[in-house]
Amino acid sequence: MLFLVAALLLLGFALGTVAHAPLTFTLVAAAVIGVWLAVFAARERHARRHQS
């Protein structure tokens, strides 16, 4: 849980700098974050299904 809080704080910091970053960098960073969230969601779903 603390990892998610730290990630959100870093994301908030990064959003402030996105206005100064090139569009390609912003899109790549958004794609990386999206993939990370998808992997996290898949792992959580897998863990919940195999828990019971």
Side-chain angles (χ1 to χ4, degrees):
M1 186 67 174
L2 290 175
F3 178 75
L4 288 176
V5 171
L8 288 174
L9 285 173
L10 287 173
L11 179 62
F13 176 76
L15 285 177
T17 61
V18 163
H20 306 287
L23 181 61
T24 54
F25 173 78
T26 303
L27 294 176
V28 168
V32 169
I33 292 169
V35 168
W36 176 68
L37 289 174
V39 168
F40 178 77
R43 288 180 60 197
E44 286 294 314
R45 179 175 290 188
H46 180 73
R48 287 181 192 239
R49 286 188 178 178
H50 289 280
Q51 188 177 21
S52 56

